[in-house]
Amino acid sequence: MSKIEIYTKGYCPYCHRAKALLQQKGVDFIEYPIDQQPELRDVMINRANGGHTVPQIFIEDAHIGGCDDLIALNNQDKLDPLLA
């Protein structure tokens, strides 16, 4: 199973939607709540090549993007192979 990481904030509806999709797929992920651990915000921005909004999603250290990007991959049937 792939290593999945997601940077989130508790009040973010896009974060909740992205996490729900990953949970629906039955995959485990590591969540970094940057509202509770603000020191991780700079790490996220660096890893996401300047991306500063949440969520920021990584699969096997590859930057996927945000919620819309994750959903687009799913709609194109390209997400499941990345998660395997």
Side-chain angles (χ1 to χ4, degrees):
M1 183 135 318
S2 296
K3 177 182 176 185
I4 303 161
E5 300 167 283
I6 179 170
Y7 291 83
T8 64
K9 289 186 178 178
Y11 57 83
C12 169
Y14 297 103
C15 298
H16 291 286
R17 193 188 296 149
K19 291 190 302 184
L21 177 56
L22 293 171
Q23 290 166 344
Q24 177 185 351
K25 295 286 184 181
V27 297
D28 294 326
F29 54 87
I30 301 165
E31 181 175 1
Y32 302 111
I34 65 169
D35 53 346
Q36 297 173 17
Q37 296 176 286
E39 68 276 8
L40 295 177
R41 180 173 168 69
D42 288 338
V43 174
M44 176 195 79
I45 292 170
N46 186 46
R47 288 185 71 194
N49 298 314
H52 61 278
T53 59
V54 288
Q56 291 295 327
I57 304 162
F58 298 83
I59 300 176
E60 290 297 328
D61 292 321
H63 183 228
I64 300 302
C67 180
D68 291 342
D69 302 304
L70 186 70
I71 291 170
L73 284 173
N74 188 53
N75 291 342
Q76 297 166 5
D77 295 322
K78 295 179 180 178
L79 181 58
D80 288 342
L82 294 175
L83 299 176

